[in-house]
Amino acid sequence: MKRWMSQGWKTLASGWLLALTAMLCLTTTAQAQNLTIEITRGSDQATPIAVVPFEFSGQGGLPQDVAQIVSDDLEHSGQFSPLSRSSLVSLPSSSQDVFYDDWKRVDARYLVVGKIEPQGDQYRIQYELMDVLGGKRMLGETLTSSGGNLRASAHYISDQIFEAITGIRGAFSTRIVYVSASGAGDNARYALYVADADGYNAQQVLSSDDPILSPAWSPDGQKIAYVSFESGNSAIYVQNASTGERVRLTSFPGINGAPAWSPDGRKLAMSLSKDGQPEIYVMNLATRQLTRLTNNSAIETEPDWTPDGRSLIFTSDRSGAPQLYRMSANGGQAERVTFTGNYNSDGRFSPDGKTLFMVTRDDSGYHVAKQDMDTNRVTVLTDSQWDESPSVAPNGTMIIFATQQGAQGVLGAVSSDGRASFRLPSTQGDVREPAWSPFLN
């Protein structure tokens, strides 16, 4: 439910809310763009780590500062606090050059060093991770990269370091998809972008004169389902993110919205109003057969799957206000799962199914929150006022969402414990509707 443009939940029933959502989030430009991360809140429990600039033995400079990208990745996770380069006590390039007592004096808990040397048109990268307090080498690896892939190699290194220290798989090599909107009236333009998880390497995969909404990644990270109004009415498409090849799945009269992939990639849940009020349906992608799951006079929308694929979560106002409900993927009785407050919507599960992330409303606005599925305890994670469209990183450590920064639509991210947050504003227009990709290998 695109709460941020509606005057009330019932607006959805008219079939116009999806169009209004995108039509009203417009600025004046539309070009390819990178999103630049701005830290808004750092965690006071972040682990100090020193990432030393990697020694380079070639001529001139490198096209990318690998060590800085690694440092930025770790900082943006909310779990690490990298030392500034001015605070580094020395510049070792290998574990043999490390004097652990020096790094203890600047309170570094971990240390990353490395070296890069050219090999023809490639680069040979060596990196090492040290446990400063333990005085030992934890991790070391050598890899080869082209100049164009140095940034991807840096994300890979960040993933390995993150997992070695936390035991959780890193998600820095994943991607995000989002919608950019610009112009106004007859000059309105919409675009679907895919970018690295840190907002760089943004690539436009679709451009349209009509609104684009609700992008969702397939479980293999190869396809994106989304809603487009290019035919004059909402329709659900699936597009290959690499080739651009796409197919239209639904274009029924009324609402065709909120596509959500099943964990096995064989089905797509959606909200359709073809039989009256918006209801939850599931499409078998092999046969295109639709199964209607809900049958209620209320508005049913924003479906998402539990990680095991056995159940669906969705938003409904059958209790008089938007709340989250759960039901079997085969249909049956719906069970209400949110009771704190009078507005909870857009539910998304953590990868382990133990936490439900959502948008909740209180006196100060709309925020990203989480609910423990065992205790039902709700914790508000953000202090911004206009949050929507949360999407969970595949390792469960971060949530990306859409919000407002002044009059501009921007993307925000918050750690799953709420201690760290940042924003990803665009230099060229409003950005909305983010979705975090699964792991790509």
Side-chain angles (χ1 to χ4, degrees):
M1 201 336 244
K2 306 307 173 205
R3 179 272 321 147
W4 54 283
M5 288 315 308
S6 70
Q7 296 300 314
W9 175 267
K10 290 295 183 180
T11 310
L12 180 57
S14 70
W16 290 103
L17 179 61
L18 290 174
L20 289 173
T21 297
M23 288 294 292
L24 296 179
C25 66
L26 305 179
T27 55
T28 57
T29 57
Q31 301 292 331
Q33 59 202 286
N34 285 322
L35 305 180
T36 304
I37 291 181
E38 300 175 354
I39 303 293
T40 55
R41 183 172 67 246
S43 172
D44 56 4
Q45 298 185 23
T47 301
I49 188 170
V51 183
V52 177
F54 289 5
E55 178 185 280
F56 179 55
S57 59
Q59 298 294 320
L62 284 165
Q64 297 284 350
D65 187 336
V66 174
Q68 187 62 58
I69 296 169
V70 171
S71 178
D72 291 343
D73 282 346
L74 297 175
E75 182 177 21
H76 299 155
S77 75
Q79 299 203 34
F80 294 93
S81 177
L83 273 65
S84 66
R85 289 191 169 179
S86 62
S87 301
L88 301 178
V89 295
S90 60
L91 299 175
S93 60
S94 73
S95 56
Q96 297 175 346
D97 302 325
V98 173
F99 295 93
Y100 289 101
D101 286 343
D102 291 345
W103 297 100
K104 290 177 183 177
R105 282 194 286 270
V106 292
D107 296 324
R109 180 66 178 83
Y110 297 97
L111 174 66
V112 179
V113 300
K115 58 181 68 175
I116 302 175
E117 59 184 39
Q119 289 188 332
D121 59 353
Q122 302 284 306
Y123 294 97
R124 183 172 181 265
I125 306 172
Q126 293 177 281
Y127 74 92
E128 296 175 278
L129 169 67
M130 270 72 68
D131 177 351
V132 173
L133 296 185
K136 62 181 181 180
R137 179 180 183 267
M138 293 179 62
L139 178 67
E141 189 177 2
T142 300
L143 56 147
T144 301
S145 172
S146 66
N149 285 329
L150 279 174
R151 191 168 197 92
S153 296
H155 292 321
Y156 168 82
I157 294 170
S158 302
D159 287 338
Q160 306 313 303
I161 292 170
F162 187 87
E163 184 170 5
I165 296 174
T166 68
I168 301 170
R169 184 176 178 181
F172 305 110
S173 297
T174 57
R175 297 181 293 175
I176 58 173
V177 62
Y178 57 91
V179 175
S180 173
S182 61
D186 293 339
N187 296 319
R189 294 292 297 171
Y190 308 87
L192 193 66
Y193 282 91
V194 171
D196 294 348
D198 63 354
Y200 281 82
N201 293 328
Q203 301 293 323
Q204 182 177 289
V205 298
L206 180 67
S207 179
S208 177
D209 292 332
D210 301 290
I212 304 166
L213 299 168
S214 304
W217 289 95
S218 62
D220 62 4
Q222 300 300 310
K223 298 177 181 178
I224 303 169
Y226 57 85
V227 176
S228 172
F229 281 80
E230 64 197 70
S231 62
N233 183 55
S234 61
I236 296 175
Y237 290 79
V238 169
Q239 179 169 328
N240 187 296
S242 299
T243 68
E245 181 182 0
R246 65 179 190 149
V247 61
R248 187 172 66 184
L249 294 183
T250 71
S251 58
F252 298 109
I255 293 171
N256 299 260
W261 296 84
S262 63
D264 62 7
R266 297 177 180 177
K267 298 177 181 179
L268 202 67
M270 59 192 69
S271 179
L272 304 174
S273 65
K274 66 186 188 69
D275 297 321
Q277 288 284 87
E279 303 282 1
I280 304 301
Y281 292 77
V282 171
M283 175 181 283
N284 182 311
L285 293 175
T287 65
R288 302 288 181 89
Q289 180 179 353
L290 278 171
T291 301
R292 180 173 172 173
L293 296 189
T294 62
N295 190 355
N296 197 284
S297 60
I299 295 171
E300 323 273 40
T301 188
E302 297 173 343
D304 195 38
W305 300 77
T306 56
D308 61 10
R310 297 178 180 177
S311 303
L312 285 162
I313 198 92
F314 63 93
T315 309
S316 174
D317 67 346
R318 59 178 67 187
S319 65
Q323 296 291 344
L324 295 173
Y325 290 78
R326 184 175 183 169
M327 72 185 311
S328 168
N330 297 320
Q333 188 68 28
E335 172 192 10
R336 182 174 168 178
V337 297
T338 56
F339 294 90
T340 302
N342 59 8
Y343 185 108
N344 296 288
S345 69
D346 220 345
R348 298 290 182 265
F349 278 103
S350 61
D352 60 10
K354 295 180 180 179
T355 305
L356 178 63
F357 297 96
M358 58 191 174
V359 173
T360 191
R361 183 180 65 194
D362 61 20
D363 292 341
S364 62
Y366 297 84
H367 315 288
V368 175
K370 66 177 180 179
Q371 177 171 310
D372 185 294
M373 295 305 290
D374 290 330
T375 66
N376 291 329
R377 180 185 177 187
V378 174
T379 304
V380 175
L381 301 177
T382 62
D383 55 11
S384 39
Q385 296 180 331
W386 300 102
D387 302 339
E388 63 183 15
S389 305
S391 179
V392 186
N395 63 2
T397 63
M398 298 290 293
I399 302 91
I400 194 169
F401 56 96
T403 190
Q404 288 286 124
Q405 184 169 283
Q408 184 184 24
V410 301
L411 304 185
V414 63
S415 59
S416 58
D417 60 11
R419 293 193 178 110
S421 64
F422 57 86
R423 289 181 180 169
L424 296 90
S426 167
T427 58
Q428 301 179 11
D430 282 11
V431 286
R432 290 283 176 182
E433 307 275 328
W436 213 311
S437 81
F439 291 118
L440 301 178
N441 52 48

